[in-house]
Amino acid sequence: MSDITPERGARNLLINCAQAVAGDRLLIAYEPPCFGYFDADSVGIVSGVARSMGLSVDAVDVGFNPGNPSLSSDLLARFEAADIILFLARLGDQLRFSEMPQGKKIIVSFALSRELFGSGFSNGHHDAFMEIKAGINAVLSTAQEVWFTCPLGTNVRGRPEMNLDPSGDTSILRFPMSVFTPVPAHSFSGRVALSFLTGTGSKYYDDYTIEFDRPVFAHMENGRLTGFEGDPNDVARAEAHYDRVATQFGIDRNFVHSWHAGIHPGCGYPWNMRDNYERWGGAAFGNPRILHFHTCGAYAPGEISWNVFDPNIVIDGTTYWENGVFHADRLPDGPGILDRYPCAAGLFVSPDMDIGLRNAS
């Protein structure tokens, strides 16, 4: 894809995800760059492309309220005047499992910056990844066993019991599409190797992330956290973290809700994850090198995530993820999808392996 540009990424969003046409009214709900999450360029990039397509464009600063995200009456009125609502703001992600106005195309962007709009993440044809998502969903929906491991010692098995009707996933459109429908964890057991615990972007709280000196194993039985194993100091910190977060929000401490892995090989994260775990958690999870659990709370996405790096995922004997590389061509219609979308096929040939891992300073 030698013609990768931020503008091409924006066109992919507007044409292939939003299915925008001339005359549509686009409202961009944006978060200012002073909050350190979305950059200063993305609103202008999308607005310029939208106007060139004949769309009318309005933009509104929705800020960032970590403690009480909500849609004000004024903002809802702006929504009613729009055909397409694009969130370049965490508000959309915070409310993605909540009620949104009906009859509108509502899109949450996980492309946070000029760099990501101008990468393979945003430039790979949106329909390709929608078809890949549907393909892996279909495989999981009939699977008898999924087994996943990782180099640090993760070892989990279970039989997926997928919920593929709209209640099993958020109905808001997401761009880029980078994960399959979350797999309920209640039928999975084993141990998960963790280097850190961090939030999910649902709520924000003090000490959002804790890192461990050595890997800690979270033990899970039929979707319930049963305890941690590892260095005693790290185990004590993990237990205390779960106690604090569960108590703060009044939620089911040991509930492991669901998991998914990344399906988008263009989903790189070209910054140090440690500089901003909140931003990393909202952008990097679509890379196939990451398998992501929603825990602590009997709802999606919960309040504490587990992140497994470089997973091997075997579904009924076929290895679809191999050391963090997703083999979409092993899906039943995988070769056909990749033939139809050469831009996506190229990303699978040369995946972006940068997910923000840097040596600790």
Side-chain angles (χ1 to χ4, degrees):
M1 250 192 303
S2 59
D3 57 342
I4 284 179
T5 66
E7 290 74 21
R8 190 176 186 272
R11 287 183 65 83
N12 188 25
L13 185 161
L14 293 168
I15 294 173
N16 299 320
C17 179
Q19 298 182 333
V21 296
D24 279 346
R25 299 163 296 175
L26 170 67
L27 175 65
I28 301 177
Y30 70 91
E31 177 179 323
C34 61
F35 291 103
Y37 199 90
F38 285 85
D39 74 355
D41 296 333
S42 296
V43 173
I45 290 166
V46 176
S47 296
V49 171
R51 292 190 178 101
S52 75
M53 293 170 53
L55 278 66
S56 64
V57 181
D58 187 15
V60 56
D61 178 350
V62 296
F64 173 58
N65 185 341
N68 185 30
S70 60
L71 297 176
S72 68
S73 57
D74 288 345
L75 187 56
L76 284 170
R78 299 280 284 270
F79 280 16
E80 290 302 326
D83 301 303
I84 302 166
I85 300 151
L86 170 63
F87 280 99
L88 293 173
R90 275 175 284 185
L91 179 62
D93 200 29
Q94 288 175 293
L95 298 177
R96 71 187 189 276
F97 292 97
S98 305
E99 287 298 318
M100 286 284 192
Q102 298 299 305
K104 308 291 180 181
K105 295 176 184 174
I106 302 175
I107 302 164
V108 170
S109 175
F110 297 115
L112 310 181
S113 67
R114 172 180 287 275
E115 291 96 331
L116 296 183
F117 269 104
S119 73
F121 186 39
S122 297
N123 278 241
H125 199 296
H126 184 71
D127 290 352
F129 291 95
M130 292 296 292
E131 292 183 27
I132 288 168
K133 174 187 177 181
I136 194 66
N137 280 353
V139 168
L140 288 166
S141 70
T142 60
Q144 298 302 301
E145 183 185 65
V146 174
W147 173 38
F148 52 86
T149 59
C150 83
L152 291 181
T154 293
N155 195 328
V156 174
R157 293 178 186 265
R159 179 179 178 179
E161 296 179 7
M162 299 293 288
N163 178 10
L164 296 180
D165 68 33
S167 67
D169 203 352
T170 173
S171 60
I172 291 174
L173 300 171
R174 286 166 289 180
F175 178 85
M177 176 50 66
S178 58
V179 296
F180 50 81
T181 298
V183 180
H186 64 261
S187 54
F188 283 80
S189 301
R191 67 180 193 177
V192 179
L194 304 170
S195 299
F196 60 91
L197 297 171
T198 192
T200 64
S202 170
K203 297 180 176 66
Y204 292 86
Y205 45 85
D206 293 337
D207 299 318
Y208 189 78
T209 301
I210 60 169
E211 295 189 35
F212 301 126
D213 293 329
R214 288 182 288 278
V216 168
F217 290 104
H219 288 269
M220 175 179 66
E221 187 70 29
N222 294 323
R224 302 289 300 180
L225 171 64
T226 60
F228 294 97
E229 174 191 358
D231 177 86
N233 290 331
D234 285 334
V235 167
R237 292 171 63 225
E239 297 282 9
H241 188 67
Y242 266 80
D243 287 344
R244 180 174 61 84
V245 173
T247 300
Q248 179 174 341
F249 298 114
I251 55 180
D252 188 335
R253 177 192 191 276
N254 296 323
F255 199 96
V256 181
H257 184 275
S258 53
W259 63 271
H260 55 65
I263 63 171
H264 202 310
C267 180
Y269 190 83
W271 308 284
N272 187 344
M273 66 190 298
R274 289 186 174 88
D275 291 343
N276 191 331
Y277 269 105
E278 293 92 337
R279 196 180 201 221
W280 177 85
F285 65 88
N287 190 294
R289 292 189 64 192
I290 301 172
L291 186 152
H292 176 88
F293 275 89
H294 307 132
T295 85
C296 197
Y299 53 88
E303 301 304 336
I304 301 175
S305 69
W306 298 343
N307 294 279
V308 175
F309 295 140
D310 298 325
N312 295 292
I313 306 177
V314 182
I315 306 174
D316 287 346
T318 298
T319 302
Y320 286 93
W321 279 256
E322 194 166 8
N323 198 34
V325 174
F326 174 39
H327 295 279
D329 59 314
R330 296 176 184 174
L331 294 169
D333 192 35
I337 295 170
L338 298 179
D339 284 346
R340 290 192 292 276
Y341 302 100
C343 59
L347 296 173
F348 282 95
V349 171
S350 300
D352 190 335
M353 305 300 285
D354 188 356
I355 54 171
L357 298 177
R358 305 288 188 271
N359 293 329
S361 56

